[in-house]
Every structure is written in structure tokens, then in C-alpha cells.
Amino acid sequence: MRNLILCAAITVTLLSCSSATKVIKFPKQSDEVFANNNLKEFFNTNNTPNIVLRVPNNNDKATSNTSTSKDNNVLYNAIEKGLLKQGFSVRDRGLFNELLSKSQTTDYSKIKELTNTDVILEVVNIDPAVVYTTNKITLVSKKKETEQIGNVDYKKYGASVEFRLIMVKNNEIAGTYKYNYQPCPKGCEVGTFKFTGKRHNKKVELRETVSVNTLEEFITLCTQDLIRSFKS
């Protein structure tokens, strides 16, 4: 009888283990947000200033003639839409660059008079190929989650976006912001990864970088966080 009970207990344990789903959860990288007191004071008295988005391609002229890629324009437009929804007066970035080109000035105090712009939000970098890696596997069952160390380094592309905020009147970089997109935020099943190599020397194959649709959603959320930081 005792042996029968023991066998039943072992069977239940094995069944509970076999029903667990193996997922990969990558460690989250912290965002980096800095704003000086001058910027905070400015937004305390100017809730909806005139703002322009400046993008890495500085050769842009009028927006209709922009030479940036279609994918990048989707991301830049998402930022501008986020600003507009919060009541900001968003200047045409192509026209802004065209005016700067004609004036041939780098003096931000003169730029304010020339373009009627209070703040420049500069996109420093958008990186859709930030490699995340972990050798930890999470076993997810109905009752609990447990973590174990595996023998494979699981890799996947995440992303990051960096902004710089410039107060035009003072010619001052008043804020810097870096937001990170963590792949598999809810966990990706082990079976979704592609492997190369033999059984005892398996490696995860990195394929496509973060898609434009995912980047658009990510950058839309980043813009919301950015605006909240202005007003906090």
C-alpha cells in the first residue's frame, strides 16, 4: 500500500512538471531619464510650447521632399502625433531645417526668432537591433513559476530610442532620455526560437530585428512617458 501511494505521488509530480511551459524572459534594462531644473521650470509655465522634432537626417528640406526612409518616417510621425495629442504646437520639421539652411546660423537664440520655436526635441538614435541574452529558463505552470539555468544562451533583438531636449532661447541641452524595449516582455516559449548547430552545441539564430510595427508601438509609449516627464 505504501509503495502504491509513493508511486502515485511520483506520477503526479512528473505530470505537473511535464505540463509546465518553458519560456524565456529577458532581463529588463532601465530607462535613463535626466532633466535639469531649467527645463522643469519652463514647463511649469509653458504647458504647450512650440516644439519641433529634429531627426538624424539633417538634409531634410520641406517635408514633402524628405529623403528619410519610409520606415523612419512612420516612427517620426508617431512621435509628432503624440505631441499633438497633448496640445503641443508642432512645427514642420522639414520647413524648420529649410529655414536653418537658408539662414546658415547655429545660434539657437536667433533660431527662436526665425522659426518661432521654443523647444527642439532631437531624435539622437533609434536602434532596432539591441541584443538581449539570457541562459535562464522559466517553467510556467498553473500554480507557480520556477527558474532554472539552461545550457543555451537565448538571444533576441530588443530596441532603444534616445532623445535630447534643447531649450532654444538659452541654447541649452536641458534633458536627455533613453528608453529601452525588452523583447518577450511577457515571455517567449522556447519552441519559438530558431537554433543552429548540433545537439550539444546549439546556438540561437538571430534573424529579423524588431519590426516597424512593434517599434511604432514602443515609440508611441516612449513619447507618452517623455511628455509625462515634462509635466511631472
Side-chain angles (χ1 to χ4, degrees):
M1 184 66 178
R2 183 178 298 174
N3 289 338
L4 184 61
I5 294 173
L6 180 60
C7 288
I10 292 173
T11 302
V12 170
T13 302
L14 290 173
L15 287 173
S16 63
C17 290
S18 63
S19 63
T21 303
K22 293 182 178 181
V23 301
I24 302 301
K25 294 184 177 182
F26 293 98
K28 182 172 174 55
Q29 295 185 24
S30 299
D31 298 329
E32 301 170 22
V33 176
F34 169 78
N36 66 20
N37 290 330
N38 289 340
L39 183 65
K40 294 176 182 178
E41 291 175 6
F42 173 81
F43 276 102
N44 282 337
T45 56
N46 298 272
N47 289 327
T48 55
N50 297 329
I51 190 168
V52 68
L53 183 69
R54 200 167 191 183
V55 301
N57 184 357
N58 292 322
N59 293 321
D60 278 357
K61 301 304 180 186
T63 298
S64 58
N65 297 322
T66 184
S67 60
T68 55
S69 72
K70 180 180 178 181
D71 288 349
N72 281 345
N73 269 333
V74 169
L75 305 180
Y76 301 149
N77 289 339
I79 299 170
E80 290 177 329
K81 286 177 183 177
L83 294 168
L84 285 167
K85 286 180 180 178
Q86 293 298 317
F88 286 82
S89 178
V90 181
R91 296 291 184 253
D92 185 298
R93 62 178 183 268
L95 183 59
F96 178 86
N97 286 333
E98 192 171 289
L99 289 172
L100 289 190
S101 177
K102 289 180 178 178
S103 67
Q104 296 183 339
T105 181
T106 57
D107 186 338
Y108 281 101
S109 61
K110 292 181 180 179
I111 290 173
K112 176 175 173 56
E113 298 174 5
L114 184 67
T115 64
N116 190 26
T117 300
D118 300 306
V119 179
I120 296 173
L121 178 60
E122 183 177 354
V123 179
V124 178
N125 186 43
I126 297 174
D127 188 348
V130 180
V131 178
Y132 281 68
T133 182
T134 183
N135 64 349
K136 295 180 180 179
I137 300 173
T138 302
L139 302 178
V140 181
S141 64
K142 291 182 179 180
K143 293 184 178 181
K144 62 177 181 178
E145 293 186 7
T146 57
E147 196 172 72
Q148 65 182 28
I149 304 297
N151 56 2
V152 175
D153 287 329
Y154 292 89
K155 297 179 181 180
K156 205 170 186 68
Y157 283 123
S160 67
V161 57
E162 296 180 58
F163 297 103
R164 182 161 50 210
L165 202 71
I166 300 167
M167 294 176 62
V168 176
K169 184 177 181 180
N170 302 332
N171 190 18
E172 177 183 13
I173 297 175
T176 58
Y177 310 82
K178 182 178 181 181
Y179 297 100
N180 298 296
Y181 171 73
Q182 167 197 13
C184 301
K186 296 181 180 179
C188 290
E189 291 190 23
V190 170
T192 62
F193 289 83
K194 303 296 182 182
F195 297 93
T196 60
K198 297 181 180 180
R199 180 178 179 183
H200 297 293
N201 192 29
K202 288 197 306 183
K203 293 183 179 179
V204 171
E205 182 181 356
L206 281 173
R207 292 189 173 181
E208 296 179 356
T209 58
V210 178
S211 70
V212 175
N213 288 341
T214 300
L215 277 176
E216 185 179 10
E217 292 176 8
F218 165 60
I219 284 181
T220 297
L221 294 174
C222 290
T223 305
Q224 294 172 3
D225 289 342
L226 187 69
I227 293 169
R228 276 194 290 269
S229 76
F230 294 164
K231 299 181 177 182
S232 62

